[in-house]
Amino acid sequence: MRSRFRSDRRLTVRMTVTLFLLGLLYVGFVAALIVLLRSWVLVVVLVGAMFVAQFWFSDRIAMFAMRGRVVEREEYPELHAVVDRLCAIADMPKPVVAVSEMDMPNAFATGRNPNHAVVCVTTGLLRRLEPSELEGVLAHELSHVAHKDVAVITIASFLGVVAGLIVRFAFYSGLFGGRKDQNTAAVLAAVIGVSVAVYALSFLLIRALSRYRELAADRAAAQLTGRPSALASALTKVSGDIARIPTKDLRTAQAFNAFYFTPASGREPGLERYFSTHPTLQQRLDQLGRISAELGEAQAPGKAG
């Protein structure tokens, strides 16, 4: 089923290129592990099992990590009403609706396809936003589902997860300690070296795609609702409030920054914006300002709220 969210050819091209490059990296990574570990069965079984687990259970993993739970219409009627209305306008299947009992104002979408998707908002977001602002945020998250970039990010993240786990396992399990012959030490060093390189490359590719997909979701949401100023107001409000959330409360959330409406960093990035999962707030507001002008909206996004 094709939704009424405006298609984004540039996003599609970027997703295709990213998956292609990560696919090449994936093949090279597995081949290197097979050569180094001399057991293709072990490598293929372990990597394949992890891929299936991450792809099929990514929504459950994210929900568990962020303390999200599925909520029915009777419990959150207004939230369900907004999702129902947007799905009807967009002509797309309604995702599972969930709420996370967190004060941090944020939202995320996850799931392997539009028919198996979850849209989750925090109680902190529901408490802070006006209805029109909440509609803009939910439209943003639904566009991720409609464009299928949630599934792409989930798949793309897999290689970095595997490489990162290998490095962590090596360092924290004391693989370099004890008595080992030189050949074993050399193999372990090579495995870690390959894993670090793969993690770094996949990290950069995923961050570049993530920044663009956030801008694409902002565009799609603003065009679907016809109210870019409401989305701009939500962005400004949420970003400002996250900056006041204690850092210790943001640490768990930061592992899922690529899925969030706004990053759980608590501050605008400096030079690290080139490695960030999201564009800067100003970039997003500037884009919404241009869309507002195109739509002839009375209130400029920068002055919304």
Side-chain angles (χ1 to χ4, degrees):
M1 180 183 293
R2 294 178 62 85
S3 79
R4 293 196 181 106
F5 275 108
R6 185 172 297 183
S7 62
D8 192 316
R9 183 175 300 177
R10 289 178 294 177
L11 175 61
T12 302
V13 170
R14 280 171 168 79
M15 289 193 297
T16 302
V17 171
T18 299
L19 285 178
F20 175 74
L21 293 175
L22 285 171
L24 293 178
L25 194 60
Y26 174 80
V27 172
F29 181 54
V30 172
L33 289 182
I34 291 173
V35 170
L36 292 169
L37 300 179
R38 299 179 182 179
S39 176
W40 69 269
V41 174
L42 175 64
V43 172
V44 171
V45 169
L46 288 178
V47 173
M50 291 182 64
F51 175 79
V52 171
Q54 185 182 27
F55 183 66
W56 284 90
F57 302 110
S58 60
D59 53 344
R60 300 180 190 179
I61 294 171
M63 290 277 285
F64 175 79
M66 299 315 302
R67 304 195 297 274
R69 63 182 180 86
V70 176
V71 295
E72 301 300 331
R73 185 183 305 276
E74 294 75 19
E75 191 175 359
Y76 284 88
E78 294 179 1
L79 175 60
H80 272 272
V82 175
V83 175
D84 285 337
R85 183 168 63 253
L86 289 172
C87 288
I89 295 172
D91 191 21
M92 64 181 289
K94 181 182 178 180
V96 172
V97 178
V99 169
S100 172
E101 301 288 341
M102 298 182 65
D103 185 53
M104 179 189 69
N106 227 320
F108 67 90
T110 184
R112 61 184 184 273
N113 58 50
N115 291 315
H116 298 85
V118 179
V119 171
C120 182
V121 298
T122 66
T123 52
L125 185 82
L126 294 175
R127 187 169 60 253
R128 288 172 171 87
L129 297 189
E130 299 296 326
S132 61
E133 296 169 338
L134 178 62
E135 181 182 64
V137 173
L138 289 172
H140 172 102
E141 296 305 328
L142 288 173
S143 75
H144 283 316
V145 175
H147 289 153
K148 300 182 176 64
D149 55 83
V150 168
V152 171
I153 282 291
T154 299
I155 296 171
S157 301
F158 167 72
L159 193 57
V161 169
V162 174
L165 286 175
I166 289 175
V167 174
R168 290 178 186 177
F169 176 76
F171 279 107
Y172 289 108
S173 64
L175 285 179
F176 286 110
R179 297 179 179 177
K180 294 183 177 66
D181 57 45
Q182 292 184 347
N183 289 336
T184 301
V187 169
L188 291 174
V191 168
I192 290 183
V194 170
S195 299
V196 169
V198 167
Y199 179 83
L201 290 173
S202 61
F203 177 92
L204 294 175
L205 288 172
I206 292 167
R207 292 306 191 276
L209 174 61
S210 181
R211 289 193 296 274
Y212 185 84
R213 85 181 188 113
E214 293 302 328
L215 290 173
D218 285 346
R219 283 195 301 270
Q223 290 159 352
L224 183 76
T225 62
R227 300 188 66 180
S229 62
L231 179 57
S233 177
L235 273 168
T236 303
K237 187 179 293 185
V238 169
S239 298
D241 284 355
I242 285 181
R244 291 189 284 272
I245 299 292
T247 302
K248 62 182 179 62
D249 295 335
L250 298 177
R251 286 173 184 164
T252 301
Q254 287 173 357
F256 292 89
N257 267 347
F259 292 90
Y260 276 127
F261 172 62
T262 55
S265 60
R267 60 188 175 84
E268 276 288 277
L271 290 176
E272 64 268 27
R273 67 182 180 275
Y274 299 109
F275 307 104
S276 175
T277 55
H278 289 63
T280 64
L281 174 62
Q282 193 58 51
Q283 284 178 296
R284 299 175 78 173
L285 293 179
D286 288 346
Q287 175 181 246
L288 290 170
R290 292 191 293 270
I291 296 173
S292 181
E294 292 170 3
L295 295 177
E297 199 178 29
Q299 187 178 24
K303 300 177 182 178

